[in-house]
Amino acid sequence: MSTGNFRSLRVRQVEERVGPWRERLEERPPPGGWTKTIRQVLGMSTSQLAKRLGITQQAVSDLERREKDGRATIGALAKAARAMGGELVYAIVPTRNLDEMLQHQARTTAQSRLNRVAHSMGLEGQSTSAEEQERQVAELAAELLAHPRRLWDEGGP
């Protein structure tokens, strides 16, 4: 299997896994955080959770505060989840389809690079037609997609 085919397969495989999560991006954690919410629904006190975790009650309160503030570590949340009979689920979910993101970034990067060349050529009276510029963008975008690490040298998401 060629590198390009393997990369394409990998993009599809990851997209299949993260695609369903994209539907849930609008959902937010409960205002007090998941640890506190699940603990309370289970009827578990902070001291009971602390005992299960082998930490102090104050450490549980600190964890719940850090989670609410977005500063809790994944490891601490995973331990708390297991102590309450659950599992932490973690994912980075791109807001758009991965293949679309790659295509967009390839065209953006290609256009940016070619615009610099076109500007210099225009100053020298050697401009190219819109059709030729589009052909060059498409060609460079395809080349960049074959080597995706070069896609991210310029521009943002």
Side-chain angles (χ1 to χ4, degrees):
M1 180 179 284
S2 74
T3 304
N5 289 341
F6 177 75
R7 190 173 297 109
S8 179
L9 173 63
R10 185 74 175 128
V11 168
R12 282 194 313 275
Q13 288 173 334
V14 172
E15 183 60 36
E16 286 175 13
R17 292 189 71 186
V18 299
W21 287 80
R22 203 170 284 119
E23 299 168 13
R24 304 190 73 113
L25 285 176
E26 297 301 316
E27 293 182 28
R28 296 291 175 241
W34 284 111
T35 304
K36 184 175 185 176
T37 300
I38 299 299
R39 177 183 59 73
Q40 289 175 335
V41 168
L42 291 172
M44 189 183 294
S45 69
T46 54
S47 61
Q48 290 167 327
L49 179 56
K51 185 176 181 181
R52 289 170 159 258
L53 287 168
I55 60 177
T56 65
Q57 183 178 357
Q58 182 60 47
V60 169
S61 296
D62 291 345
L63 170 61
E64 290 178 353
R65 187 173 42 262
R66 284 193 313 272
E67 179 187 359
K68 184 178 175 185
D69 295 343
R71 297 179 295 116
T73 66
I74 292 170
L77 292 172
K79 286 177 188 174
R82 286 190 297 276
M84 294 185 290
E87 288 294 328
L88 177 70
V89 178
Y90 171 81
I92 294 175
V93 182
T95 56
R96 296 187 342 221
N97 175 284
L98 290 167
D99 194 49
E100 290 172 12
M101 288 177 66
L102 289 166
Q103 296 286 337
H104 174 78
Q105 185 65 28
R107 287 197 58 79
T108 299
T109 300
Q111 189 69 56
S112 174
R113 290 182 185 178
L114 291 173
N115 281 348
R116 289 192 298 266
V117 173
H119 177 72
S120 296
M121 290 179 68
L123 292 174
E124 297 171 5
Q126 301 174 0
S127 16
T128 56
S129 70
E131 294 82 20
E132 176 60 18
Q133 289 175 7
E134 177 54 34
R135 187 194 65 72
Q136 290 175 354
V137 166
E139 192 175 288
L140 181 54
E143 183 181 322
L144 288 166
L145 284 169
H147 306 282
R149 289 186 183 198
R150 294 173 50 202
L151 285 176
W152 306 104
D153 292 338
E154 301 171 31

